Coordinates of all heavy atoms in Angstrom, one line a residue:
E165 N -11.6 -83.3 -31.3 CA -11.0 -83.4 -30.0 C -12.0 -83.3 -28.8 O -11.7 -83.6 -27.7 CB -10.0 -82.3 -29.8 CG -8.7 -82.5 -30.7 CD -7.9 -81.1 -30.8 OE1 -8.2 -80.2 -30.1 OE2 -6.9 -81.2 -31.6
R166 N -13.2 -82.9 -29.2 CA -14.3 -82.8 -28.2 C -15.4 -83.9 -28.4 O -16.4 -83.8 -27.8 CB -14.9 -81.5 -28.2 CG -13.9 -80.4 -27.6 CD -14.0 -79.0 -28.2 NE -13.0 -78.2 -27.7 CZ -11.7 -78.1 -28.2 NH1 -11.4 -78.8 -29.1 NH2 -10.8 -77.3 -27.6
G167 N -15.0 -84.9 -29.1 CA -15.9 -86.1 -29.2 C -16.9 -86.1 -30.3 O -17.8 -87.0 -30.4
I168 N -16.9 -85.2 -31.2 CA -17.9 -85.1 -32.3 C -17.1 -85.1 -33.5 O -16.5 -84.2 -34.0 CB -18.8 -83.9 -32.1 CG1 -19.5 -83.9 -30.8 CG2 -19.7 -83.7 -33.3 CD1 -20.4 -82.7 -30.5
A169 N -17.1 -86.4 -34.1 CA -16.3 -86.7 -35.3 C -16.9 -87.6 -36.2 O -17.9 -88.3 -35.9 CB -14.9 -87.2 -34.8
F170 N -16.3 -87.7 -37.4 CA -16.6 -88.7 -38.4 C -15.4 -89.5 -38.7 O -14.5 -88.8 -39.2 CB -17.2 -88.0 -39.7 CG -17.8 -88.9 -40.6 CD1 -19.1 -89.3 -40.5 CD2 -17.2 -89.5 -41.7 CE1 -19.8 -90.2 -41.4 CE2 -17.8 -90.4 -42.6 CZ -19.0 -90.7 -42.4
S171 N -15.3 -90.7 -38.4 CA -14.2 -91.5 -38.7 C -14.5 -92.9 -39.1 O -15.5 -93.6 -38.6 CB -13.4 -91.6 -37.4 OG -12.2 -92.4 -37.6
A172 N -13.8 -93.6 -40.0 CA -14.0 -94.9 -40.5 C -15.4 -95.1 -40.9 O -16.0 -96.2 -40.7 CB -13.6 -95.9 -39.4
G173 N -16.1 -94.2 -41.6 CA -17.4 -94.4 -42.2 C -18.4 -94.2 -41.1 O -19.6 -94.5 -41.5
R174 N -18.1 -93.8 -40.0 CA -19.2 -93.7 -38.9 C -19.0 -92.4 -38.2 O -17.9 -91.9 -38.0 CB -19.1 -94.9 -37.9 CG -19.2 -96.2 -38.5 CD -19.5 -97.3 -37.5 NE -19.7 -98.6 -38.0 CZ -20.9 -99.0 -38.4 NH1 -22.0 -98.2 -38.3 NH2 -21.0 -100.2 -38.9
H175 N -20.2 -91.9 -37.7 CA -20.0 -90.7 -36.9 C -20.2 -91.0 -35.4 O -20.8 -92.0 -35.0 CB -21.1 -89.7 -37.3 CG -22.5 -90.2 -37.3 ND1 -23.2 -90.4 -36.1 CD2 -23.4 -90.5 -38.3 CE1 -24.4 -90.8 -36.4 NE2 -24.5 -91.0 -37.7
S176 N -19.5 -90.2 -34.6 CA -19.5 -90.4 -33.1 C -20.7 -89.8 -32.5 O -20.9 -90.1 -31.4 CB -18.1 -89.9 -32.5 OG -18.1 -88.5 -32.7
A177 N -21.3 -88.9 -33.3 CA -22.5 -88.1 -32.7 C -23.3 -87.7 -34.0 O -22.8 -87.5 -35.0 CB -22.0 -86.9 -32.0
P178 N -24.6 -87.7 -33.8 CA -25.5 -87.4 -34.9 C -25.2 -86.0 -35.5 O -25.6 -85.7 -36.6 CB -26.9 -87.7 -34.4 CG -26.8 -87.6 -32.9 CD -25.4 -88.1 -32.6
D179 N -24.7 -85.1 -34.7 CA -24.4 -83.7 -35.0 C -23.5 -83.6 -36.3 O -23.5 -82.5 -36.9 CB -24.0 -82.9 -33.9 CG -25.0 -83.1 -32.8 OD1 -26.0 -82.4 -32.9 OD2 -24.6 -83.8 -31.8
V180 N -22.7 -84.6 -36.5 CA -21.8 -84.6 -37.6 C -22.5 -84.5 -38.9 O -22.0 -84.0 -39.9 CB -20.9 -85.8 -37.6 CG1 -19.9 -85.9 -38.7 CG2 -20.1 -85.8 -36.3
F181 N -23.8 -85.0 -39.1 CA -24.5 -85.0 -40.2 C -25.3 -83.6 -40.4 O -26.3 -83.4 -39.8 CB -25.6 -86.2 -40.1 CG -26.1 -86.4 -41.6 CD1 -25.4 -87.4 -42.3 CD2 -27.3 -85.9 -42.1 CE1 -25.9 -87.8 -43.5 CE2 -27.7 -86.3 -43.3 CZ -27.1 -87.2 -44.0
H182 N -24.5 -82.8 -41.1 CA -25.0 -81.4 -41.4 C -24.6 -81.0 -42.8 O -23.7 -81.5 -43.4 CB -24.6 -80.4 -40.3 CG -23.1 -80.3 -40.2 ND1 -22.4 -81.0 -39.3 CD2 -22.3 -79.4 -40.9 CE1 -21.1 -80.6 -39.4 NE2 -21.0 -79.7 -40.4
A183 N -25.2 -79.9 -43.2 CA -24.8 -79.4 -44.6 C -24.5 -77.9 -44.5 O -25.2 -77.2 -43.7 CB -26.0 -79.6 -45.5
V184 N -23.7 -77.5 -45.3 CA -23.4 -76.0 -45.4 C -24.6 -75.4 -46.2 O -24.9 -75.8 -47.3 CB -22.1 -75.7 -46.1 CG1 -21.9 -74.2 -46.4 CG2 -20.9 -76.4 -45.2
R185 N -25.2 -74.3 -45.6 CA -26.2 -73.6 -46.2 C -25.8 -72.4 -46.9 O -26.2 -72.0 -48.0 CB -27.3 -73.2 -45.1 CG -28.5 -72.5 -45.6 CD -29.5 -72.3 -44.4 NE -30.3 -71.2 -44.8 CZ -30.2 -70.0 -44.4 NH1 -29.3 -69.7 -43.5 NH2 -31.0 -69.0 -44.7
E186 N -24.8 -71.8 -46.4 CA -24.2 -70.6 -47.0 C -22.8 -70.3 -46.6 O -22.3 -70.6 -45.4 CB -25.1 -69.3 -46.5 CG -24.7 -68.0 -47.1 CD -25.5 -66.9 -46.6 OE1 -26.1 -66.9 -45.5 OE2 -25.8 -66.0 -47.4
F187 N -22.0 -69.8 -47.6 CA -20.6 -69.6 -47.3 C -20.3 -68.2 -48.0 O -20.5 -68.1 -49.1 CB -19.7 -70.6 -47.9 CG -18.2 -70.5 -47.6 CD1 -17.6 -71.0 -46.6 CD2 -17.4 -69.8 -48.6 CE1 -16.3 -70.8 -46.2 CE2 -16.0 -69.7 -48.3 CZ -15.5 -70.2 -47.2
T188 N -19.8 -67.2 -47.2 CA -19.4 -66.0 -47.7 C -18.0 -65.7 -47.3 O -17.5 -66.1 -46.3 CB -20.3 -64.8 -47.1 OG1 -20.1 -64.7 -45.8 CG2 -21.8 -65.1 -47.4
I189 N -17.3 -64.9 -48.1 CA -15.9 -64.7 -47.9 C -15.5 -63.4 -48.6 O -16.0 -63.1 -49.7 CB -14.9 -65.8 -48.3 CG1 -13.5 -65.7 -47.7 CG2 -15.0 -66.1 -49.9 CD1 -12.6 -66.9 -47.8
A190 N -14.8 -62.5 -47.9 CA -14.2 -61.4 -48.4 C -12.7 -61.5 -48.4 O -12.1 -61.8 -47.3 CB -14.7 -60.1 -47.7
F191 N -12.0 -61.3 -49.5 CA -10.5 -61.4 -49.5 C -9.9 -60.0 -49.3 O -10.3 -59.0 -49.9 CB -10.1 -62.0 -50.9 CG -10.8 -63.3 -51.3 CD1 -11.8 -63.4 -52.0 CD2 -10.3 -64.5 -50.6 CE1 -12.5 -64.6 -52.3 CE2 -10.9 -65.7 -50.9 CZ -12.0 -65.7 -51.7
R192 N -8.9 -60.0 -48.5 CA -8.3 -58.8 -48.0 C -6.9 -58.7 -48.4 O -6.5 -57.6 -48.9 CB -8.4 -58.6 -46.5 CG -9.7 -58.7 -45.9 CD -10.6 -57.6 -46.4 NE -12.0 -57.7 -45.8 CZ -13.0 -57.2 -46.4 NH1 -13.0 -56.6 -47.5 NH2 -14.2 -57.3 -45.8
A193 N -6.1 -59.7 -48.3 CA -4.7 -59.7 -48.7 C -4.4 -61.2 -49.2 O -4.7 -62.2 -48.5 CB -3.8 -59.4 -47.6
P194 N -3.7 -61.2 -50.3 CA -3.5 -62.6 -50.8 C -2.5 -63.4 -49.9 O -1.6 -62.9 -49.4 CB -2.9 -62.4 -52.3 CG -2.4 -61.0 -52.3 CD -3.2 -60.3 -51.3
V195 N -2.7 -64.7 -49.9 CA -1.7 -65.7 -49.3 C -0.8 -66.0 -50.5 O -1.3 -66.6 -51.5 CB -2.4 -66.9 -48.8 CG1 -1.4 -67.9 -48.3 CG2 -3.4 -66.5 -47.6
T196 N 0.5 -65.7 -50.4 CA 1.4 -65.9 -51.5 C 2.5 -67.0 -51.2 O 3.6 -66.7 -51.1 CB 2.1 -64.6 -51.8 OG1 2.7 -64.1 -50.6 CG2 1.1 -63.6 -52.3
G197 N 2.1 -68.2 -51.1 CA 3.0 -69.3 -50.9 C 2.5 -70.3 -50.0 O 1.5 -70.2 -49.4
V198 N 3.3 -71.2 -49.8 CA 3.1 -72.4 -48.9 C 3.4 -72.1 -47.5 O 4.2 -71.2 -47.2 CB 3.7 -73.7 -49.5 CG1 3.2 -74.0 -50.8 CG2 5.2 -73.6 -49.3
G199 N 2.9 -72.9 -46.6 CA 3.3 -72.8 -45.1 C 2.1 -72.6 -44.3 O 0.9 -72.8 -44.7
P200 N 2.2 -72.3 -43.0 CA 1.2 -72.2 -42.0 C 0.4 -71.0 -42.3 O 0.7 -70.0 -42.7 CB 1.8 -72.2 -40.7 CG 3.2 -71.6 -41.0 CD 3.5 -72.1 -42.4
L201 N -1.0 -71.2 -41.9 CA -2.0 -70.1 -41.9 C -2.8 -70.3 -40.7 O -3.3 -71.4 -40.4 CB -2.8 -70.3 -43.2 CG -3.8 -69.1 -43.6 CD1 -3.0 -67.8 -43.9 CD2 -4.5 -69.6 -44.9
A202 N -3.2 -69.2 -40.1 CA -4.0 -69.2 -38.8 C -5.4 -69.0 -39.2 O -5.7 -68.0 -39.9 CB -3.5 -68.2 -37.8
V203 N -6.3 -69.8 -38.7 CA -7.7 -69.7 -38.9 C -8.3 -69.4 -37.6 O -8.3 -70.3 -36.7 CB -8.3 -70.9 -39.6 CG1 -9.8 -70.7 -39.9 CG2 -7.6 -71.2 -40.9
H204 N -8.9 -68.2 -37.4 CA -9.6 -67.9 -36.1 C -11.1 -68.1 -36.5 O -11.5 -67.4 -37.4 CB -9.3 -66.5 -35.7 CG -10.1 -66.0 -34.5 ND1 -10.4 -64.7 -34.3 CD2 -10.6 -66.7 -33.5 CE1 -11.0 -64.6 -33.2 NE2 -11.1 -65.8 -32.7
F205 N -11.8 -68.9 -35.7 CA -13.2 -69.1 -36.0 C -14.0 -69.1 -34.6 O -13.4 -69.5 -33.5 CB -13.5 -70.4 -36.7 CG -12.9 -71.7 -36.0 CD1 -13.7 -72.3 -35.1 CD2 -11.7 -72.1 -36.3 CE1 -13.3 -73.5 -34.5 CE2 -11.3 -73.3 -35.7 CZ -12.1 -74.0 -34.8
W206 N -15.2 -68.7 -34.7 CA -16.1 -68.7 -33.5 C -17.5 -68.8 -34.1 O -17.8 -68.7 -35.3 CB -15.9 -67.4 -32.8 CG -16.2 -66.1 -33.6 CD1 -17.3 -65.5 -33.6 CD2 -15.3 -65.4 -34.5 NE1 -17.2 -64.3 -34.4 CE2 -15.9 -64.3 -34.9 CE3 -14.0 -65.6 -34.8 CZ2 -15.5 -63.4 -35.8 CZ3 -13.4 -64.7 -35.7 CH2 -14.1 -63.6 -36.2
L207 N -18.5 -69.0 -33.2 CA -19.9 -69.0 -33.5 C -20.6 -67.8 -33.2 O -20.4 -67.2 -32.1 CB -20.6 -70.2 -32.7 CG -20.3 -71.6 -33.3 CD1 -20.7 -72.6 -32.3 CD2 -21.0 -71.7 -34.6
E208 N -21.2 -67.2 -34.2 CA -22.1 -66.0 -34.0 C -23.5 -66.4 -33.6 O -24.1 -65.6 -32.9 CB -22.2 -65.2 -35.3 CG -20.9 -64.5 -35.8 CD -20.4 -63.4 -35.0 OE1 -21.4 -62.6 -34.4 OE2 -19.3 -63.1 -34.8
H209 N -23.9 -67.6 -33.9 CA -25.3 -68.0 -33.6 C -25.2 -69.6 -33.5 O -24.6 -70.3 -34.3 CB -26.2 -67.6 -34.8 CG -27.5 -68.3 -34.7 ND1 -28.5 -67.9 -34.0 CD2 -28.0 -69.3 -35.5 CE1 -29.5 -68.6 -34.2 NE2 -29.2 -69.5 -35.1
F210 N -25.9 -70.1 -32.6 CA -26.2 -71.6 -32.5 C -27.6 -71.8 -32.2 O -28.0 -71.6 -31.0 CB -25.2 -72.3 -31.5 CG -25.1 -73.6 -31.7 CD1 -24.2 -74.2 -32.6 CD2 -25.9 -74.5 -30.9 CE1 -24.2 -75.5 -32.9 CE2 -25.8 -75.9 -31.1 CZ -24.9 -76.4 -32.1
G211 N -28.4 -72.0 -33.2 CA -29.9 -72.1 -32.9 C -30.4 -73.6 -32.7 O -29.6 -74.5 -32.3
T212 N -31.6 -73.8 -33.0 CA -32.1 -75.1 -32.7 C -31.6 -76.1 -33.6 O -31.3 -77.2 -33.3 CB -33.7 -75.0 -32.9 OG1 -34.2 -74.1 -31.9 CG2 -34.4 -76.3 -32.7
T213 N -31.6 -75.7 -35.0 CA -31.1 -76.6 -36.0 C -30.0 -76.1 -36.9 O -29.4 -76.9 -37.7 CB -32.2 -77.1 -37.0 OG1 -32.7 -75.9 -37.6 CG2 -33.4 -77.6 -36.2
S214 N -29.6 -74.8 -36.7 CA -28.6 -74.3 -37.5 C -27.5 -73.5 -36.6 O -27.7 -73.4 -35.5 CB -29.2 -73.2 -38.4 OG -29.7 -72.1 -37.7
A215 N -26.4 -73.2 -37.3 CA -25.4 -72.5 -36.7 C -24.7 -71.6 -37.7 O -24.6 -71.9 -38.9 CB -24.3 -73.5 -36.1
R216 N -24.1 -70.5 -37.2 CA -23.4 -69.6 -38.2 C -22.0 -69.3 -37.5 O -21.9 -68.7 -36.5 CB -24.1 -68.2 -38.4 CG -23.4 -67.4 -39.4 CD -24.2 -66.1 -39.7 NE -24.4 -65.3 -38.5 CZ -25.5 -65.2 -37.8 NH1 -26.6 -65.8 -38.2 NH2 -25.5 -64.5 -36.8
Y217 N -21.0 -69.7 -38.2 CA -19.6 -69.4 -37.9 C -19.2 -68.1 -38.5 O -19.7 -67.7 -39.6 CB -18.6 -70.4 -38.4 CG -18.6 -71.8 -37.8 CD1 -19.4 -72.8 -38.2 CD2 -17.9 -72.0 -36.7 CE1 -19.4 -74.1 -37.7 CE2 -17.9 -73.3 -36.1 CZ -18.6 -74.3 -36.6 OH -18.7 -75.5 -36.0
A218 N -18.3 -67.4 -37.9 CA -17.5 -66.3 -38.4 C -16.1 -66.8 -38.4 O -15.7 -67.5 -37.5 CB -17.7 -65.0 -37.7
F219 N -15.3 -66.3 -39.3 CA -13.9 -66.7 -39.4 C -13.0 -65.7 -40.0 O -13.5 -64.8 -40.7 CB -13.8 -68.1 -40.2 CG -14.2 -67.9 -41.6 CD1 -13.5 -67.5 -42.6 CD2 -15.5 -68.3 -42.0 CE1 -13.8 -67.4 -43.9 CE2 -15.9 -68.2 -43.3 CZ -15.1 -67.7 -44.2
E220 N -11.8 -65.7 -39.7 CA -10.7 -64.9 -40.2 C -9.5 -65.9 -40.6 O -9.2 -66.7 -39.8 CB -10.2 -63.9 -39.2 CG -11.2 -62.9 -38.8 CD -10.7 -61.9 -37.7 OE1 -9.8 -62.3 -37.0 OE2 -11.4 -60.9 -37.7
F221 N -8.9 -65.7 -41.8 CA -7.7 -66.3 -42.2 C -6.7 -65.2 -41.9 O -6.7 -64.1 -42.5 CB -7.8 -66.7 -43.6 CG -8.5 -68.0 -44.0 CD1 -9.9 -67.9 -44.1 CD2 -7.9 -69.2 -44.0 CE1 -10.7 -69.0 -44.3 CE2 -8.6 -70.3 -44.2 CZ -10.0 -70.3 -44.3
R222 N -5.6 -65.6 -41.1 CA -4.6 -64.6 -40.8 C -3.2 -65.3 -41.0 O -3.1 -66.4 -41.0 CB -4.7 -64.1 -39.4 CG -6.0 -63.3 -39.2 CD -6.0 -62.6 -37.7 NE -7.0 -61.6 -37.6 CZ -6.9 -60.4 -37.9 NH1 -5.6 -59.9 -38.3 NH2 -7.8 -59.5 -37.7
S223 N -2.2 -64.4 -41.1 CA -0.9 -64.8 -41.0 C -0.6 -65.5 -39.7 O -1.4 -65.3 -38.7 CB 0.1 -63.7 -41.2 OG -0.1 -62.7 -40.3
P224 N 0.4 -66.4 -39.6 CA 0.7 -67.1 -38.3 C 0.8 -66.2 -37.2 O 0.5 -66.6 -36.0 CB 1.9 -68.0 -38.6 CG 1.9 -68.1 -40.1 CD 1.3 -66.9 -40.6
D225 N 1.4 -65.1 -37.3 CA 1.6 -64.1 -36.2 C 0.3 -63.3 -35.9 O 0.2 -62.5 -34.9 CB 2.7 -63.2 -36.4 CG 2.6 -62.2 -37.5 OD1 1.5 -62.2 -38.2 OD2 3.5 -61.5 -37.9

Side-chain angles (χ1 to χ4, degrees):
E165 291 168 8
R166 288 152 183 83
I168 299 178
F170 191 84
S171 178
R174 300 196 179 272
H175 55 72
S176 65
D179 304 284
V180 174
F181 201 87
H182 62 266
V184 175
R185 183 173 158 257
E186 182 177 30
F187 183 84
T188 64
I189 190 164
F191 302 101
R192 304 296 180 206
V195 174
T196 57
V198 300
L201 190 61
V203 183
H204 178 208
F205 59 88
W206 62 95
L207 284 166
E208 291 286 333
H209 167 79
F210 198 81
T212 303
T213 63
S214 66
R216 184 178 61 256
Y217 287 95
F219 60 84
E220 297 175 338
F221 284 85
R222 292 187 168 272
S223 57
D225 64 7

